[in-house]
C-alpha cells in the first residue's frame, strides 16, 4: 500500500496550497456555492490511477482540498442539516435512477386483447351482429328451408343481434378481468421491488457519527464507510483504505480484483463489489451522474432515439439523459438472472477468481453484422433454459391440451357444416338462392361460433393465471414469514428441495457471541477470570490487541431496555472479544481514542483464505507492533513464543503446541465453542519491514491468549431440522469452524444423531477424497461422499461451491437433487448462484450475497427456510388442485359441446354460457384454489422431485370419475330432460328461437356441478374430508358463494343474451340436488383404491431426462425462468442494475485503464451513434454488449475497438 496508509498524512503540506486555490476559485462558480461543478466531478470520475491523482492534485491540491470545496470534512462528514442535504441533491442530483413508468391499465387491456381465441370470437361475433340486421323478405323464408322459420312467430327476429353483442360483452369482461389481474400483479412486484430498495442501507459519517442511511439518501460530499462485501452505491474517491480490493468486473469485465489505495488508485465506482478490506470514501457522483448511471442513461437514450427517430438530431443531448427510458427489458436481466436467451454460445467466460461471480457476456455485433443480429434475435427469443420446473411442466401440458381442443373444435365445425349442407342441399334438394345467402351464412357463422366456444373451453388459459396468482400470493405471505423472495420461481422450487446446505453461524445459532472460556498465562479458566487473576502486563497487551485489531465499526453498546443484553454492532466475533474486555473491567474505547483508525499503519483484513486479521501500529519509539487474531489452529502454527504466568515470554515449541491443542483447544471445541487465538509481534523501526511479504511479517508471533466463544443454538432450530428430516430433506452444515465445534453444534441441532451412519469432514480431507492424482475433481469421487456427508468444517467458499455442484450434478440417486444453500459472505456468491435456491441472510449478509440469492431471510433464521419449503409445496399443490378442477370442466364441456353439436346441430351450452363457465373455472377458480394457505401436513410427505408428473394417478382418477358423473347427468338431461321435467324440448330449435327451459336446466346443472366439484378439488391426495380447513380460506368461500349468486341472477334474469329462461323453485332444487351429488360421488371415487387402476396414465411430466441433463450441463449459464418474465415489468434498482445488467458496453473500455480517456462528451456522442446503429437492427431487449474482448470481439469483424 506504500509507506503512507493515510492520505491526510501524505498530502498534508499540499492541502495548505489547496485551500489557497479554493478561495479564488469558488467566487464565480455557478455551483450553488460549492467549489466544484457537477461536470468537473463527472469528468474526474472518468479517470483512473495516476491520471486521476494528477488531476486531483492539479485542480484541488489533494483529496482534503476536494473535501474542502465540497464543504465536507474527511473525519466529521457532513452536518445533518436538511437544507444542506437538499441543496446538494439539487446541485449534484439524487442517488436514484427514476424507474420506467408502469404500464397503464389501458395498455394491459390492449395486451389482453391480443389473445388469439378472443380475437377469433370477436370476429365471429361481429359477423354474427352484422348478419342479424339483415332481414330476408318474409315470403322467401319458406324457400330457404328451416332458415328462420319459427322466429317471426315469436316476434323475436329483431333480437338476433343479442347473441353477437353478448359474446362481445363477455369478451370485454374476460379482458378486463385479465388486465386487472396483470395490473395488481405488477403493483405487487413494484411493492416488492421498493421493499428490496428500502432494505439497501449504507454507513456514512455525519457529524462525526457513523450512521446507516438508505442508499437513495446519499449525497455528493458524504463520507461513506466501505467494507468487505459492500456493493458500492455511488462513485467516490478513497480517503483512507486498509488492504482494499475491488471487483470491477461488472464495469470492465476484468475478473481480477483491483487494489485501491489513497495514493495509487483512489477511484471507486458504483456498481462494483468490495471483495476485501475496508476504507472511507468521499462520494463524488450519485444517481444518473455516476458511472453506472451514465451507462443506464445511455441505454435509455438508445431506446429514446429509437422512439424519436423522426425528431431532429438536435435532440440528441436531451436524449442522452433520459433515465426514465431505462427499462428492464432492455437490460434483459431481471433481478440478477439473465432473461432472454441472449447468452449465446460464443460466451466469453470471465475467469472465476476468488469467488468473483463469473459474468456472461456476448460480444457486440457491429452494424455490418446485421444479418447475424437478426438470427441472434430469433434465437434469443427462444429461452435457452427454463429454470422453473413447474413452468416447464405447465407449458408442456397447456400445449397438449390446446392441440386437443383445436382438433375437437375443427371436427365440430366440419361435422356441423357437412350435416347442414347435406341435409339442406342433398336430402331436401334445395337450390342455393341469392336472396338466401345471408340466411345460410348466418348458419355457418353460428357453427363457427360453436366451434370457437369448444376451443375457448378447451384451452386452459387459466393455467398461467393460476400460477401467477399462486406465486404472487405466496410471495406476499412469505414476507410475513421473513422470506423476501427475489425470484418468483424460487418459491416453487423450494417445495421440491431435497437437500439444504446451511451455514452454522447466525443461521443455526443465534449469532450472539460471548467469550465463556479463556486460556491465558498458562491457566485454563472455565469461566471469565477477574482482572486481578491475570498479570497486569499480559492484561494490557491483551486489551490493546483486542481493541486495536478489530474493525473500529464493531462496538458493544449499552442495552436498549433495562436489564437487556448489551447491543452488538458490527462483526459478532469481534463484539464477543470486545465484550470480554468489558468483562475484565477494562475500556476498549479509551485505547481506540489514543490510536484512532487514521493512525493504523497497515491492516491485513480478514478474508476466507487468511482466516485471520492483523493490524500494525507505530510505537512512540518508531518501532512497530503487529497484533493478530484468528482461528486457533492456524494462528498457533505461526506462534514461536507464549506469554507465561508472570508476563514473561517463553518459547513455544511444536510439542507445546500439540499439548495445547489436546488440552485446551479440543476440549473447548467439544463444548461447541469457537476458539480464537490472540497474538502479537514487535518489529524493528529500521530496516523497515517489507509489508507486502505478509507470510514473513505474520510469523514468529507471541501468543497472548486463546479464548473460547460460545454461539448458542437458536432454540427453534432443532425442531425445524426435525421437520425437514421428516419431510425428506437432508440438512448439511457447511462451516468455516473447527471440526469439533461443528460436530458439537450439529449434534445439538439434530443434524447428526448417535447411531446414524454419517460423515463429518474437514475441507482439506474433503478435497483429498474428491480429487484425483492430478488434483482434478471427479464426480464419481464426490458421489461416494456426499450421500453420507453431514458436516463440512474448516471449509472454504470453493468447497461449498464444489459440494453444491457435486450434489446437483450427481446421478447416483434416481432423482436429481434439488439443493438450497444459505450464505452470508461475499465469497458465498458462487455457491448461492449455483444452488437451485440461494438464501442470503438479511441481517448478517453482505450485499454481494443478497445479490446472488433468490430469497433473503430477513431474520437470518433457519426455521424460516422450513416455512419456505411449506410455501413451495403449497404452490405446487395449489396448481395441482386447480388443474384437477379445470381439466374436469374442460373434458366435460368439450365432450358435451362436441357430441351435442354433432347430434342436435347445436351446442347445448351457448357461446355466452361457455364464456361464463370459462370465467368461473379459469379466473375465479384459479383465485379460489391458488390461495389456499399451507398446513403443517405438507411437511409430512417426501419432495415430489423434478420429474414428478403434475397430474398424479389419484388426480387422474378424480378427473375421469367426476367427468363420467357429469356427462351421464348432462346427456340424460339433454335427451330425456323434457320428459323428466315435462317441458318443451330445446333440441333442433331454429335460428333466433327464444331460450328454452330445457337448455337452461342443462346449463344450470352444469355450473352447479362445477361449483360443488370445486370443493372436491381442494384435496388431491385422495383425502375424504374435503371441507377440512375451508374457513381458513375466506377467498375460496366468497368466490364459491359469489359465483352461486351470479348464477342465480344469470338464470332468472339473463334472458336472451345468456340464452336462459327463468326456472321454477322445483327445477332449481333438482339442479342443486344433482350438484350436491358431486360431493357424494367424490366419496365413492375416494373409496376406489388407485393402486387397482393400473391403466390410468399420469400427465404433465417434467422435461425428459436427457433434456434435464442438457440443462444441467450448461454449468454457469445464466438461467431464464418464465415466471420471471412476469417480473420484467418491475423496475430494478439502478445500482443493482449494473451489476446485473451485464450489458458490458465496450464503452467501458475507458474504465479499464487510464490511457483511453478521450473526454466524456466525445465518448458519449460516439456511443450514442453506435447504440443508434445497434438499436436500429435489433430490438432494445436484445442489445447485450460486452467488454471482455476489447479488440475485435467475435462478431465484430472490423476488429476495431469501441469507442
Amino acid at each position: 500500500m506504500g509507506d503512507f496508509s493515510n492520505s491526510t498524512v501524505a498530502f498534508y503540506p499540499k492541502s495548505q496550497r489547496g485551500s489557497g486555490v479554493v478561495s479564488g476559485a469558488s467566487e464565480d462558480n455557478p455551483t450553488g456555492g460549492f467549489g466544484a461543478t457537477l461536470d468537473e466531478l463527472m469528468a474526474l470520475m472518468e479517470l483512473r490511477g495516476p491520471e486521476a491523482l494528477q488531476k486531483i492534485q492539479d485542480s484541488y491540491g489533494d483529496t482534503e482540498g476536494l473535501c474542502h470545496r465540497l464543504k465536507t470534512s474527511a473525519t466529521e462528514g457532513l452536518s445533518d442539516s436538511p437544507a444542506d442535504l437538499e441543496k446538494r441533491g439539487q446541485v449534484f442530483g439524487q442517488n436514484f435512477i427514476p424507474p420506467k413508468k408502469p404500464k397503464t391499465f389501458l395498455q394491459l387491456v390492449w395486451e389482453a386483447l391480443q389473445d388469439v381465441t378472443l380475437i377469433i370470437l370477436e370476429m365471429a361475433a361481429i359477423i354474427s351482429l352484422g348478419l342479424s340486421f339483415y332481414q330476408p323478405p318474409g315470403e322467401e323464408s319458406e324457400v330457404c328451408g328451416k332458415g328462420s322459420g319459427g322466429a317471426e312467430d315469436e316476434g323475436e327476429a329483431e333480437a338476433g343481434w343479442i347473441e353477437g353483442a353478448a359474446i362481445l360483452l363477455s369478451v370485454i369482461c374476460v379482458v378486463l378481468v385479465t388486465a386487472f389481474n396483470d395490473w395488481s400483479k405488477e403493483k405487487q412486484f413494484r411493492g416488492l421491488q421498493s421493499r428490496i430498495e428500502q432494505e439497501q442501507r449504507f454507513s456514512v459519517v455525519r457529524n462525526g457519527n457513523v450512521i446507516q442511511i438508505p442508499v437513495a439518501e446519499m449525497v455528493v460530499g458524504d463520507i461513506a464507510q466501505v467494507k468487505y462485501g459492500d456493493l458500492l452505491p455511488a462513485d467516490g474517491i478513497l480517503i483512507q483504505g486498509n488492504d482494499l480490493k475491488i471487483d470491477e468486473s461488472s464495469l470492465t469485465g476484468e475478473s481480477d480484483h483491483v487494489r485501491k489505495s489513497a495514493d495509487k488508485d483512489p477511484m471507486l465506482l458504483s456498481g462494483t463489489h468490495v471483495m476485501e478490506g475496508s476504507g472511507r470514501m468521499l462520494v463524488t457522483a450519485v444517481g444518473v451522474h455516476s458511472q453506472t448511471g451514465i451507462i443506464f442513461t445511455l441505454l435509455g437514450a438508445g431506446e429514446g432515439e429509437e422512439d424519436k427517430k423522426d425528431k431532429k438530431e438536435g435532440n440528441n443531448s436531451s436524449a442522452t439523459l433520459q433515465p426514465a427510458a431505462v427499462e428492464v427489458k432492455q437490460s434483459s436481466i431481471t433481478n440478477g438472472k439473465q432473461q432472454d436467451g441472449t447468452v449465446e454460445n460464443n460466451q466469453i467466460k470471465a475467469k472465476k477468481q476468488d469467488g468473483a461471480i463469473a459474468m456472461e457476456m456476448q460480444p457486440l455485433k457491429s452494424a455490418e453484422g446485421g444479418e447475424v443480429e437478426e438470427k441472434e434475435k430469433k434465437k434469443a427469443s427462444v429461452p435457452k433454459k427454463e429454470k422453473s420446473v413447474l413452468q416447464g411442466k405447465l407449458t408442456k401440458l397447456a400445449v397438449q391440451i390446446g392441440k386437443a381442443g383445436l382438433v375437437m373444435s375443427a371436427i365440430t365445425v366440419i361435422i356441423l357444416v357437412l350435416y347442414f349442407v347435406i341435409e339442406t342441399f342433398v336430402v331436401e334438394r334445395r337450390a342455393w338462392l341469392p336472396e338466401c345467402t345471408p340466411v345460410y351464412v348466418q348458419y355457418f357463422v353460428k357453427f363457427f361460433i360453436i366451434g370457437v366456444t369448444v376451443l375457448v373451453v378447451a384451452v386452459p388459459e387459466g393455467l398461467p393465471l393460476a400460477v401467477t396468482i399462486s406465486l404472487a400470493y405466496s410471495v406476499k405471505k412469505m414476507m410475513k414469514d421473513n422470506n423476501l423472495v427475489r425470484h418468483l420461481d424460487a418459491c416453487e422450487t423450494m417445495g421440491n428441495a431435497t437437500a439444504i446446505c446451511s451455514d452454522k453461524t447466525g443461521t443455526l445459532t443465534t449469532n450472539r457471541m460471548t467469550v465463556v472460556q479463556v486460556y491465558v498465562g498458562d491457566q485454563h479458566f472455565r469461566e471469565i477470570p477477574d482482572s486481578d487473576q491475570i498479570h497486569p502486563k499480559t492484561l494490557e497487551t491483551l486489551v490493546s490487541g483486542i481493541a486495536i485489531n478489530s474493525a473500529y465499526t464493531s462496538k458493544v453498546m449499552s442495552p436498549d431496555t433495562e436489564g437487556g443484553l448489551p447491543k452488538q454492532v458490527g462483526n459478532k466475533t469481534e463484539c464477543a472479544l470486545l465484550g470480554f474486555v468489558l468483562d475484565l473491567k477494562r475500556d476498549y474505547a479509551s485505547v481506540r481514542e489514543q490510536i484512532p483508525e487514521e493512525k493504523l499503519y497497515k491492516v491485513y483484513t480478514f478474508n476466507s483464505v487468511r482466516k485471520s486479521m492483523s493490524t500494525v501500529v507505530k510505537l512512540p519509539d518508531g518501532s512497530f507492533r503487529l497484533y493478530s487474531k484468528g482461528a486457533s489452529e492456524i494462528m498457533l502454527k505461526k506462534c514461536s513464543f507464549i506469554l507465561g504466568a508472570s508476563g514473561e515470554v517463553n518459547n513455544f515449541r511444536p510439542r507445546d503446541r500439540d499439548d495445547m491443542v489436546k488440552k485446551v483447544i479440543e476440549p473447548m471445541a467439544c463444548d461447541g465453542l469457537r476458539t480464537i487465538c490472540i497474538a502479537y509481534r514487535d518489529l524493528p523501526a529500521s530496516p523497515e519491514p517489507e509489508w507486502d511479504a505478509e507470510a514473513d511479517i505474520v510469523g514468529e508471533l507471541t501468543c497472548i491468549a486463546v479464548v473460547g466463544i460460545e454461539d448458542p443454538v437458536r432454540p427453534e432450530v432443532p425442531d425445524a431440522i426435525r421437520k425437514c428430516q421428516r419431510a425428506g430433506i437432508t440438512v448439511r452444515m457447511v462451516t468455516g469452524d473447527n471440526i469439533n465445534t461443528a460436530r458439537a453444534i450439529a449434534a445439538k441441532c439434530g443434524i447428526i444423531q448417535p447411531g446414524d451412519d454419517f460423515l463429518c469432514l474437514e475441507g482439506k480431507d474433503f478435497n483429498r477424497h474428491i480429487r484425483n492424482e492430478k488434483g482434478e475433481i471427479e464426480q464419481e469421487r464426490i458421489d461416494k461422499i456426499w450421500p453420507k456427508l453431514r458436516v463440512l468444517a474448516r471449509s472454504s467458499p470453493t468447497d461449498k461451491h464444489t459440494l453444491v455442484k457435486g450434489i446437483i450434478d450427481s446421478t447416483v440417486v434416481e432423482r436429481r437433487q434439488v439443493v438450497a444453500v444459505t450464505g452470508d459472505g461475499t465469497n458465498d456468491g458462487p455457491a448461492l448462484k449455483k444452488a437451485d435456491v440461494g438464501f442470503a441472510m438479511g441481517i448478517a449478509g453482505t450485499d454481494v450475497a443478497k445479490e446472488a440469492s433468490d430469497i433473503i431471510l430477513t431474520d437470518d433464521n433457519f426455521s424460516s427456510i422450513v416455512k419456505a419449503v411449506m410455501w413451495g409445496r403449497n404452490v405446487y399443490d395449489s396448481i395441482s388442485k386447480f388443474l384437477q378442477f379445470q381439466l374436469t370442466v374442460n373434458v366435460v364441456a368439450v365432450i358435451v359441446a362436441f357430441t351435442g353439436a354433432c347430434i342436435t346441430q347445436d351446442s347445448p351450452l351457448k357461446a355466452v354460457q361457455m364464456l361464463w363457465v370459462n370465467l368461473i373455472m379459469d379466473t375465479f377458480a384459479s383465485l379460489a384454489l391458488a390461495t389456499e394457505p399451507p398446513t403443517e401436513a405438507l411437511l409430512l410427505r417426501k419432495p415430489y422431485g423434478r420429474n414428478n408428473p403434475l397430474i398424479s394417478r389419484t388426480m387422474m382418477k378424480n378427473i375421469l370419475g367426476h367427468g363420467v358423473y357429469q356427462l351421464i347427468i348432462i346427456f340424460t338431461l339433454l335427451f330425456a330432460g323434457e320428459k323428466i321435467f315435462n317441458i318443451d324440448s330445446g333440441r333442433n330449435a331454429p335460428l333466433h328461437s327464444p331460450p328454452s327451459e330445457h337448455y337452461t336446466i342443462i346449463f344450470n346443472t352444469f355450473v352447479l356441478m362445477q361449483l360443488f366439484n370445486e370443493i372436491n378439488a381442494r384435496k388431491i391426495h385422495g383425502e375424504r374430508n374435503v371441507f377440512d380447513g375451508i374457513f381458513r380460506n375466506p377467498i375460496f368461500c366468497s368466490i364459491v358463494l359469489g359465483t352461486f349468486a351470479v348464477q342465480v341472477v344469470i338464470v332468472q334474469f339473463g334472458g336472451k343474451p345468456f340464452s336462459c329462461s327463468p326456472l321454477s323453485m322445483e327445477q332449481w332444487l333438482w339442479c342443486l340436488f344433482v350438484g350436491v351429488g358431486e360431493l357424494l360421488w367424490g366419496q365413492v371415487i375416494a373409496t376406489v383404491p388407485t393402486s387397482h387402476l393400473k391403466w390410468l396414465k399420469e400427465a404433465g411430466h417434467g422435461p425428459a431426462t436427457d433434456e434435464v441433463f442438457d440443462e444441467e450441463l450448461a454449468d454457469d449459464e445464466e438461467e431464464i425462468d418464465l415466471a420471471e418474465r412476469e417480473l420484467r415489468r418491475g423496475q430494478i434498482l439502478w445500482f443493482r442494475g449494473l451489476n446485473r445488467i451485464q450489458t458490458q458496453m465496450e464503452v467501458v473500455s475507458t474504465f479499464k485503464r487510464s490511457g483511453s480517456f478521450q473526454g466524456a462528451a466525445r465518448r458519449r456522442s460516439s456511443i450514442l451513434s453506435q447504440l443508434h446503429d445497434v438499436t436500429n437492427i435489433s430490438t432494445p431487449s436484445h442489445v447485450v454488449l460486452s467488454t471482455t474482448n476489447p479488440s475485435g470481439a467475435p462478431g465484430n469483424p472490423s476488429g476495431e475497438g469501441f469507442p
Side-chain angles (χ1 to χ4, degrees), residues 129-329:
L129 258 181
L131 290 169
S132 65
F133 291 118
Y134 174 82
Q135 278 301 307
E139 62 280 3
E140 280 169 20
S141 61
E142 285 308 307
V143 192
C144 301
K146 52 185 182 168
S148 35
E152 263 73 14
D153 323 341
E154 304 287 337
E156 288 268 356
E158 57 279 8
W161 60 274
I162 291 182
E163 189 177 23
I167 294 179
L168 281 181
L169 199 69
S170 28
V171 165
I172 291 172
C173 258
V174 172
V175 164
L176 287 176
V177 170
T178 317
F180 179 73
N181 271 318
D182 284 350
W183 179 77
S184 55
K185 193 171 64 193
E186 180 154 334
K187 201 165 127 203
Q188 253 178 15
F189 289 134
R190 282 183 182 268
L192 174 68
Q193 211 52 55
S194 63
R195 165 86 191 254
I196 294 178
E197 220 164 296
Q198 287 152 12
E199 295 254 310
Q200 175 85 16
R201 303 174 82 81
F202 212 81
S203 308
V204 297
V205 181
R206 291 203 177 154
N207 286 333
N209 299 321
V210 179
I211 56 168
Q212 293 263 328
I213 59 167
V215 161
E217 290 176 17
M218 288 181 82
V219 291
V220 170
D222 257 325
I223 303 296
Q225 291 212 327
V226 296
K227 60 180 186 312
Y228 155 86
D230 282 339
L231 176 64
L232 298 182
D235 291 355
I237 292 173
L238 187 65
I239 301 174
Q240 176 254 326
N242 304 322
D243 204 14
L244 194 63
K245 286 188 187 162
I246 306 274
D247 170 12
E248 291 191 346
S249 57
S250 56
L251 285 179
T252 61
E254 294 282 354
S255 61
D256 296 349
H257 297 166
V258 185
R259 231 176 219 290
K260 297 285 179 183
S261 62
D263 50 0
K264 292 206 176 73
D265 182 5
M267 311 311 266
L268 301 178
L269 306 172
S270 54
T272 59
H273 289 129
V274 182
M275 298 313 277
E276 245 182 69
S278 61
R280 291 210 315 273
M281 77 167 185
L282 164 69
V283 177
T284 52
V286 294
V288 287
H289 307 301
S290 66
Q291 295 301 326
T292 309
I294 291 172
I295 288 179
F296 255 101
T297 308
L298 287 171
L299 285 174
E303 186 186 56
E305 295 202 351
E306 190 70 3
D307 299 343
K308 303 185 178 55
K309 261 187 223 156
D310 44 355
K311 293 207 178 172
K312 307 278 184 298
E313 280 288 60
N315 270 4
N316 258 2
S317 55
S318 65
T320 317
L321 290 173
Q322 241 186 349
V326 177
E327 198 219 357
V328 184
K329 271 187 187 160

Side-chain angles (χ1 to χ4, degrees), residues 434-612:
E435 59 268 27
C436 291
T437 306
V439 179
Y440 296 144
V441 171
Q442 230 162 333
Y443 264 105
F444 291 140
V445 169
K446 178 181 163 189
F447 300 149
F448 183 61
I449 289 180
I450 291 171
V452 174
T453 39
V454 171
L455 180 63
V456 168
V457 174
V459 174
E461 62 271 38
L463 268 185
L465 186 69
V467 180
T468 313
I469 289 179
S470 181
L471 287 174
Y473 171 78
S474 306
V475 164
K476 204 169 175 181
K477 291 281 188 225
M478 282 169 81
M479 298 275 251
K480 293 200 177 82
D481 285 337
N482 301 311
N483 283 285
L484 176 63
V485 181
R486 293 181 67 235
H487 300 135
L488 261 193
D489 61 315
C491 173
E492 155 256 323
T493 313
M494 208 45 222
N496 290 330
T498 53
I500 298 175
C501 296
S502 171
D503 276 1
K504 176 178 78 73
T505 310
T507 313
L508 300 171
T509 58
T510 54
N511 203 8
R512 171 151 197 105
M513 311 229 185
T514 38
V515 174
V516 289
Q517 295 186 20
V518 59
Y519 177 89
V520 62
D522 289 343
Q523 260 185 296
H524 186 168
F525 296 96
R526 296 275 165 179
E527 47 204 36
I528 302 295
D530 290 333
S531 49
D532 50 13
Q533 289 176 274
I534 303 173
H535 190 274
K537 190 176 154 201
T538 309
L539 183 62
E540 193 192 331
T541 319
L542 179 64
V543 170
S544 302
I546 292 175
I548 293 169
N549 186 30
S550 52
Y552 278 36
T553 47
S554 302
K555 307 185 187 66
V556 177
M557 326 261 275
S558 48
D560 290 340
T561 51
E562 277 293 303
L565 291 167
K567 220 166 56 185
Q568 298 187 336
V569 181
N571 181 310
K572 298 292 188 268
T573 310
E574 293 182 342
C575 289
L577 294 170
L578 295 171
F580 173 52
V581 171
L582 297 175
D583 291 342
L584 292 171
K585 308 286 183 286
R586 290 289 180 274
D587 181 17
Y588 66 86
S590 57
V591 180
R592 287 181 173 182
E593 273 163 24
Q594 286 167 10
I595 304 180
E597 198 170 7
E598 295 81 53
K599 286 207 181 138
L600 300 181
Y601 198 85
K602 172 83 182 138
V603 179
Y604 300 99
T605 49
F606 180 87
N607 66 24
S608 54
V609 182
R610 290 191 182 116
K611 292 212 186 295
S612 67

Side-chain angles (χ1 to χ4, degrees), residues 393 397 815 876-877 879-885 887-888 941 944 947-961 1017 1019-1023 1085 1089-1091 1093-1102:
K393 292 180 184 175
L397 192 67
R815 284 183 177 171
Y876 214 94
D877 282 6
I879 302 301
S880 295
K881 289 172 191 174
F882 173 67
L883 268 174
Q884 178 175 304
F885 172 70
L887 292 179
T888 312
R941 61 167 176 78
Y944 281 144
N947 303 344
N948 203 62
L950 273 175
I951 302 170
S952 61
R953 301 227 321 246
T954 311
M955 288 167 64
M956 210 47 146
K957 176 183 78 177
N958 292 344
I959 291 171
L960 295 176
K1019 302 292 174 209
I1020 50 174
H1021 298 299
E1023 299 93 328
I1085 295 177
T1090 314
S1091 49
L1093 307 172
K1094 293 274 182 268
W1095 46 272
L1096 276 179
K1097 286 270 182 288
E1098 301 164 322
H1101 285 273

Side-chain angles (χ1 to χ4, degrees), residues 772-809:
N772 59 18
E773 301 71 48
K774 296 183 191 154
E776 294 158 346
I777 296 172
E778 286 185 358
Q779 184 63 41
E780 301 82 79
R781 290 172 181 244
I782 297 185
D783 288 346
K784 287 188 189 132
I785 287 183
W786 75 258
K788 288 184 183 175
L789 183 69
R790 290 294 176 274
V791 175
L792 183 57
R794 282 277 175 252
S795 67
S796 69
T798 351
D799 297 339
K800 196 177 197 176
H801 182 256
T802 310
L803 176 66
V804 172
K805 184 177 181 310
I807 297 179
I808 288 178
D809 294 348

